[in-house]
């Protein structure tokens, strides 16, 4: 069987939605949990489009809310497959809000979702490879390799972490804590 490869542009999904008062939090801004739900939906759609299978979210690498989203703004989520493994894909999602009255746009969030393709029986299934052609394709793929290396290093650091209260008490004096 010949291995199938797809270009990132083959699986791009863009979702735009008007932000309504029902999406807001007590502070009058759009609730972060609502945006997280949209992020997961667009990451799923992008991964499913690439893999041509049902996909599940395995992990999310950083969710930083950079700018608040206002009621009445148009929220646009742009997703693409940035990296593929054997059964998994990393989907990058960029979130921008637009004031539809004056056209001003804000970058609100960028997140990376690791999605795993599943067959009809719930078993992980191989995904098509990724064709890299543009410089952005290469950059995104390499950035994901580096992100995975950093995550592995982080996991190794904390896997065998030995905590000693006395040893860390000195460090904690520089933080907003009361030691008892």
């Amino acid at each position: 069987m010949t291995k199938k490869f797809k270009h990132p542009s083959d699986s791009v999904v863009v979702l735009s939605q008007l932000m309504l008062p029902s999406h807001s939090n007590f502070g009058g801004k759009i609730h972060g949990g609502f945006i997280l739900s949209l992020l997961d939906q667009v990451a799923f759609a992008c991964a499913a489009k690439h893999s041509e299978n049902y996909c599940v979210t395995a992990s999310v690498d950083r969710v930083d809310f950079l700018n608040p989203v206002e009621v009445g703004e148009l929220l646009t989520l742009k997703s693409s497959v940035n990296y593929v493994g054997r059964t998994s894909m990393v989907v990058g999602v960029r979130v921008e809000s637009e004031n539809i009255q004056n056209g001003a746009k804000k970058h609100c969030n960028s997140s990376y979702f690791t999605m795993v393709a599943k067959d009809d029986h719930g078993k992980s299934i191989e995904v098509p490879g990724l064709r890299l052609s543009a410089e952005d394709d290469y950059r995104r793929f390499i950035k994901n390799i580096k992100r995975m290396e950093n995550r592995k290093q982080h996991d190794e650091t904390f896997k065998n972490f030995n905590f000693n209260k006395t040893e860390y008490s000195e460090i904690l004096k520089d933080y907003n804590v009361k030691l008892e």
Side-chain angles (χ1 to χ4, degrees), residues 15 17 19 23 30-44 57 59-65 69 75 77 93 95 108-113 115:
L15 172 71
Q17 186 167 340
M19 296 294 99
H23 303 138
I30 300 305
H31 195 284
F34 179 74
I35 296 171
L36 283 171
S37 175
L38 293 176
L39 282 160
D40 195 44
Q41 289 175 43
V42 77
F44 165 81
T57 305
S59 69
V60 181
D61 187 6
R62 291 189 71 135
V63 177
D64 295 325
F65 294 100
V69 179
L75 195 71
L77 299 90
V93 185
V95 181
C108 299
N109 179 292
S110 288
S111 297
Y112 304 94
F113 284 68
M115 309 297 288

Side-chain angles (χ1 to χ4, degrees), residues 8 11-15 39 41-47 77-82 91-94:
S11 307
V12 166
V13 173
V14 178
L15 172 71
L39 282 160
Q41 289 175 43
V42 77
F44 165 81
C46 182
L77 299 90
K78 301 172 184 174
S79 65
S80 65
V81 175
N82 294 347
V91 175
V93 185
R94 180 182 171 92

Side-chain angles (χ1 to χ4, degrees), residues 97-177:
S97 65
E98 179 180 357
N99 180 314
I100 56 176
Q101 293 175 319
N102 64 23
K105 292 183 181 181
K106 300 180 289 190
H107 177 209
C108 299
N109 179 292
S110 288
S111 297
Y112 304 94
F113 284 68
T114 300
M115 309 297 288
V116 177
K118 298 291 184 174
D119 67 14
D120 293 338
H121 305 289
K123 302 275 188 207
S124 297
I125 187 168
E126 194 169 333
V127 299
L130 206 56
R131 280 191 3 254
L132 306 178
S133 57
E135 190 170 322
D136 275 348
D137 301 337
Y138 284 87
R139 180 182 52 79
R140 289 178 179 139
F141 198 91
I142 294 297
K143 278 179 72 173
N144 277 281
I145 291 171
K146 295 295 184 189
R147 190 177 292 110
M148 290 184 315
E149 289 171 354
N150 289 339
R151 186 175 181 172
K152 189 179 286 188
Q153 183 179 2
H154 175 271
D155 291 349
E156 283 298 316
T157 298
F158 288 98
K159 183 170 77 174
N160 299 315
F161 182 72
N162 294 316
F163 176 74
N164 178 320
K165 182 179 175 183
T166 307
E167 181 181 340
Y168 288 97
S169 293
E170 193 62 35
I171 293 171
L172 292 172
K173 290 179 183 176
D174 295 333
Y175 290 87
N176 189 17
V177 295

